[in-house]
Amino acid sequence: MPSSLKIDQCANGIDDIEDIVSDAQSLLDQRSSNKPHVVPRPRGARVKKVGKVSGDTETNSTESDHRDSYVPGTQKIFVRTWGCSHNNSDSEYMAGQLAAYGYKITEDKENADLWLLNSCTVKNPAEDHFRNHIKDATSKGKSIVLAGCVPQGQQKADYIQGLSVIGVQQIDRVVEVVEETLKGNSVRLFSQKKSSGKKQGGASLSLPKIRKNPLIEIIAINTGCLNQCTYCKTKHARGDLGSYPPEDIVERARQSFSEGVVELWLTSEDLGAYGHDIGVTLPELLWRLVEVIPDGAMMRLGMTNPPYILEHLEEMAKILCHPRVYSFLHVPVQSASDSVLMDMRREYCVDDFKHVVDFLREKVPGVNVATDLICGFPTETDEDFAETMALVKQYKFASLFINQFFPRPGTPAYNMQRIPAQEVKKRTKAVSELFQSYHPYTHQLHEIQNVLVTEISHDRQYYVGHNKSYDQVLVPMQEDLMGKQVRVEIVETGKHYMKGKLLGDHKAEQPDVPLPKKKGEVTGVMTVSSTTQRDGLEIPWFWLGVSCLGVAIVWRVYHRFSR
């Protein structure tokens, strides 16, 4: 189930000093444009030390002005992410930029200087966890930068006021925001990226990143969506559809495979809507991507709503049959009642959803169609819920995500009369018991399957791989299996997994990619702009950061001694 720099300066020569200064100045000009978004901290009078707490630790009667001596790029940053794979990709990009600039990305939040919290607004519990982390960071005296859908969609929320916020389309500005925040200032960047008046997909796909899993590249091919679902808060944050050009996506994929990635995930709020705003289609993009996927590597498609996949069913079936594409698609139904779907403004009927599933099951051998349900939508009657139960009984989805309805502030459904909480829990329990009552993998017992191994199980007892249908297969933790294709016999099946026994005469096969980067290593080299290219020389993000750091230090020293 889905869970889930360097250049040869001697060889290339060095730019004229005038060029270097002009490049740095253009970046300073860009940074100066942020001034309206920066709220400086008040400067209090310096205070004397009044005592010692323990050892040599001294405390002051008021907060000291120690950050006047702040040197950017030397601090530790803790990154926490909630939500979808799009959010995870954003966090990988932000961590990569910060690390390339010199900051240390750490999993030790207690010793971190700043917490970067990337939020999800889909459900109340996710926002509650986000809010609790803000309180925790504040109580520990940590600097805080907020990101993701919660602050973007709720810019006036009380608990984010006075804190630095980076919008979902502004993640390429994370270094600047972190730098100002560590100085004690607050920055709020919410604007959309546009080109010729049209919304773009977001920050450049060529930014450096630190992949959570060095074997998996997550590419958000578009942001926002075309729907106006009455229960959805994500629309408030991600907005209308904005798609990346196909050539940018293909180039990012090509670069990722050159860095040892063996599995490519495509993600967005609605994969099927891709390209409606720029005059291309999802199948056109996918056929171009298939051409750059190396032998032994695989591509997994993300979530698409029924109205848009209906446009391309024939082509999508062909793509899902391709040997380098998982036969997997996530198509949310949410409810099997047409009246509830109408109240949700889902823009399809249940027969549309059934047609998608039936067509793919007929045309794509072993296809795995995952789906979502919302239990207890305000207008859902007992009869409506019975229709949803019947749908689950009919299709016996191997991957089924069951959610209780959460009233999200600012959405039309928030003001609807709610179904009593106990009834919502009762329905959720009923469909959960139905889901647990069948076992979707028993027919695969003793089959011989090819599996791509990319992860470690939660209990750390097995490696985790996926077969062509993206079913989860557990294999022994042998050192030479990770990142490779293995051939196994299925010897055990469970509700959510299968176990595979390695065939004695089969050796693990390395996909046609280099060895992967190390965990935590910055990947990707960003070509900054045409102004940083002279006679074929490309300046990596790291060296650009070093140059900017030098300029910033000189600028600060000048102002300090010119007072």
Side-chain angles (χ1 to χ4, degrees), residues 12 29 65 111 161 216 298 333 385 394 402 439 487:
N12 292 293
D29 291 341
D65 210 11
N111 290 322
Q161 299 309 307
I216 299 174
M298 298 293 290
V333 65
F385 179 68
Q394 177 182 354
I402 303 168
H439 296 271
R487 196 162 177 82

Side-chain angles (χ1 to χ4, degrees), residues 502-520:
L502 299 173
L503 298 183
D505 59 346
H506 177 75
K507 293 184 179 180
E509 297 182 3
Q510 170 68 37
D512 190 17
V513 299
L515 293 177
K517 302 291 184 179
K518 295 180 181 179
K519 185 176 177 62

Side-chain angles (χ1 to χ4, degrees), residues 17 45 52 99 104 112 137 148 217 221 242 276 281 295 341 359 375 392 402 484 493 519 524:
I17 188 66
K52 295 184 178 181
K104 181 180 179 181
E217 169 69 6
I221 65 173
H276 278 242
T281 68
D295 287 338
L341 291 174
F359 186 91
C375 294
V392 177
I402 303 168
K484 297 180 180 179
T493 63
K519 185 176 177 62

Side-chain angles (χ1 to χ4, degrees), residues 86 98 233 256 263 334 412 473 492 561:
H86 194 163
L98 291 166
K233 186 74 174 178
S256 301
E263 194 168 278
Q334 306 301 11
V473 181
E492 181 183 334
F561 289 100

Side-chain angles (χ1 to χ4, degrees), residues 500-553:
K501 182 181 72 174
L502 299 173
L503 298 183
D505 59 346
H506 177 75
K507 293 184 179 180
E509 297 182 3
Q510 170 68 37
D512 190 17
V513 299
L515 293 177
K517 302 291 184 179
K518 295 180 181 179
K519 185 176 177 62
E521 186 176 353
V522 180
T523 62
V525 177
M526 176 183 175
T527 302
V528 182
S529 70
S530 59
T531 60
T532 60
Q533 299 181 38
R534 299 288 190 273
D535 301 323
L537 175 64
E538 295 184 355
I539 303 179
W541 180 260
F542 174 81
W543 294 110
L544 179 66
V546 172
S547 301
C548 292
L549 176 60
V551 173
I553 293 173

Side-chain angles (χ1 to χ4, degrees), residues 48-94:
K48 296 182 179 180
K49 298 169 184 176
V50 295
K52 295 184 178 181
V53 178
S54 63
D56 295 328
T57 303
E58 297 178 332
T59 181
N60 299 325
S61 57
T62 61
E63 182 182 358
S64 67
D65 210 11
H66 67 281
R67 281 179 285 193
D68 279 344
S69 60
Y70 159 80
V71 178
T74 61
Q75 289 74 28
K76 297 177 182 178
I77 312 294
F78 167 69
V79 181
R80 176 72 162 86
T81 309
W82 293 267
C84 63
S85 53
H86 194 163
N87 261 21
N88 279 278
S89 178
D90 285 351
S91 289
E92 290 180 349
Y93 275 124
M94 289 190 285

